[in-house]
Amino acid sequence: MILVTGGAGFIGSHVVDALRAAGERVRVLDVLHPAAHRSVPSYVDGEWVRGDVRDADTVRTVLSDVDAVVHQAAMVGLGVDTDDTPEYVGCNDLGTAVLLAGMARAGVRRLVLASSMVVYGEGRYTCPGHGTVHPGPRRADDLDAGRYEPRCPDCGSWLASGLVAEDAPTDPRNTYAATKLAQEHLAAAWARTTGGAVTALRYHNVYGPRMPRDTPYAGVAALFRSALERGEPPRVYEDGGQRRDFVHVRDVAAANLAALAAPRDGFHAYNVASGQPHTVGEMAAALAEAFGGPAPEVTGQYRLGDVRHVVAAPDRAAADLGFRATTGFAEGVAEFATAALRA
């Protein structure tokens, strides 16, 4: 039996579908948090429990006869403002701590953890004079003036971006990012204490069917798609040149199955990405064209918690887990443009 927390959500539900298609017995735990759900999604079926991963009694019950846990339950996105901070920490970090304690008591020693590329902060950069550098947060005066690229922390030169690998320094830049890194630290400590196996999957920008509609707690692709469904142009921050790796949700589900099939003792982290970087502006334009809606609006606005470029090196997941994404950008966006969004 495999327990999937957050199994009614966007990514979690695709993981559940993939596991069941592979012949696995699956139990779902989901609280149906109002930031993500207005009702029980129509696709939720099979064995599932409506409950909170922060509740120790609920966790004890759902861990009965479980062999491994796929932990997807979390609040995601940048949220609205700092008033969200306690709920992010509660859902993501307290929830993970309660789950890990319950797994230790129940003797469950295999965990696949949904982490995120946000733990890196900015991606990998090189300076002409200083080689590989790790820029700090971008300055508000640069952003106000439309200078969006990070500068070298040593000489102030503009930098060239590259691929970020799993051994890159972590540098979370917002509340959500901080909670995801804390989840990794908690899981690593649990693995050392219990002898368990943790595979942390650092998802890059996931998109696809069942993304939530009209919520600030969602990825940029969902925000663009929601705008198009309302008949509005997707609003692109900065100049749209932010580079990301957009990976289809079915590929992410496949990465979870690969992680379950190749457990390794201790804690190991992997990028889950397509290996096909695109800009945020390209995603908005491709979605608008496929949807047949209004063209994107580039606003020049910014959020201080955002980073400029995060593009993944997918090689470690390919080598250790045998995982490579198979859904191309054009194919995935064309499907997503007309797929139903979740209320």
Side-chain angles (χ1 to χ4, degrees):
M1 172 74 74
I2 297 172
L3 173 66
V4 180
T5 71
F10 164 47
I11 297 174
S13 66
H14 285 276
V15 174
V16 170
D17 288 350
L19 286 168
R20 287 178 173 157
E24 298 286 356
R25 294 174 58 226
V26 181
R27 179 180 296 142
V28 170
L29 172 65
D30 202 302
V31 73
L32 300 182
H33 196 287
H37 299 278
R38 296 174 189 167
S39 60
V40 180
S42 60
Y43 51 77
V44 173
D45 59 11
E47 184 177 352
W48 81 284
V49 175
R50 184 167 185 172
D52 198 324
V53 73
R54 292 172 286 188
D55 181 75
D57 290 336
T58 298
V59 168
R60 184 181 304 110
T61 298
V62 297
L63 283 172
S64 174
D65 299 322
V66 163
D67 302 303
V69 176
V70 179
H71 185 30
Q72 304 288 325
M75 280 188 69
V76 300
L78 286 183
V80 178
D81 54 36
T82 55
D83 285 343
D84 288 329
T85 300
E87 190 69 1
Y88 271 104
V89 174
C91 289
N92 298 358
D93 298 338
L94 176 59
T96 298
V98 173
L99 176 66
L100 293 171
M103 290 175 65
R105 285 192 299 268
V108 181
R109 296 290 183 265
R110 292 174 59 196
L111 174 68
V112 177
L113 172 68
S115 187
S116 172
M117 57 88 175
V118 296
V119 302
Y120 296 120
E122 289 285 354
R124 184 178 185 274
Y125 291 89
T126 55
C127 170
H130 295 94
T132 300
V133 296
H134 306 289
R138 294 176 293 171
R139 302 188 321 221
D141 59 333
D142 278 336
L143 296 169
D144 287 336
R147 297 186 294 266
Y148 302 120
E149 299 294 330
R151 295 175 182 265
C152 175
D154 297 316
C155 67
S157 297
W158 302 111
L159 302 172
S161 67
L163 301 181
V164 61
E166 291 87 348
D167 56 0
T170 52
D171 185 15
R173 299 288 175 87
N174 55 58
T175 296
Y176 170 61
T179 64
K180 296 307 287 185
L181 185 57
Q183 283 185 310
E184 288 196 11
H185 289 323
L186 290 167
W190 172 87
R192 286 192 298 270
T193 301
T194 64
V198 177
T199 304
L201 300 178
R202 292 175 176 170
Y203 302 157
H204 284 250
N205 287 68
V206 188
Y207 73 99
R210 300 178 186 166
M211 290 195 90
R213 183 176 67 238
D214 295 328
T215 171
Y217 304 94
V220 66
L223 299 179
F224 291 162
R225 179 70 171 74
S226 296
L228 289 165
E229 192 140 309
R230 296 192 302 269
E232 301 171 1
R235 291 174 54 82
V236 179
Y237 279 18
E238 301 181 20
D239 60 357
Q242 308 95 304
R243 295 174 72 235
R244 298 289 189 269
D245 190 311
F246 294 97
V247 58
H248 196 277
V249 66
R250 283 194 297 272
D251 285 324
V252 173
N256 277 267
L257 266 65
L260 283 169
R264 301 176 62 194
D265 289 344
F267 176 92
H268 300 274
Y270 297 93
N271 287 327
V272 174
S274 72
Q276 304 173 14
H278 291 271
T279 67
V280 171
E282 287 171 343
M283 167 57 88
L287 265 180
E289 181 178 1
F291 185 85
E297 175 188 342
V298 180
T299 68
Q301 295 176 309
Y302 64 86
R303 298 178 295 186
L304 282 175
D306 280 340
V307 297
R308 182 62 175 174
H309 304 300
V310 186
V311 177
D315 305 309
R316 182 182 291 181
D320 290 359
L321 305 180
F323 166 75
R324 283 198 182 276
T326 60
T327 305
F329 182 74
E331 171 195 354
V333 170
E335 178 200 19
F336 179 49
T338 57
L341 297 178
R342 189 179 76 243

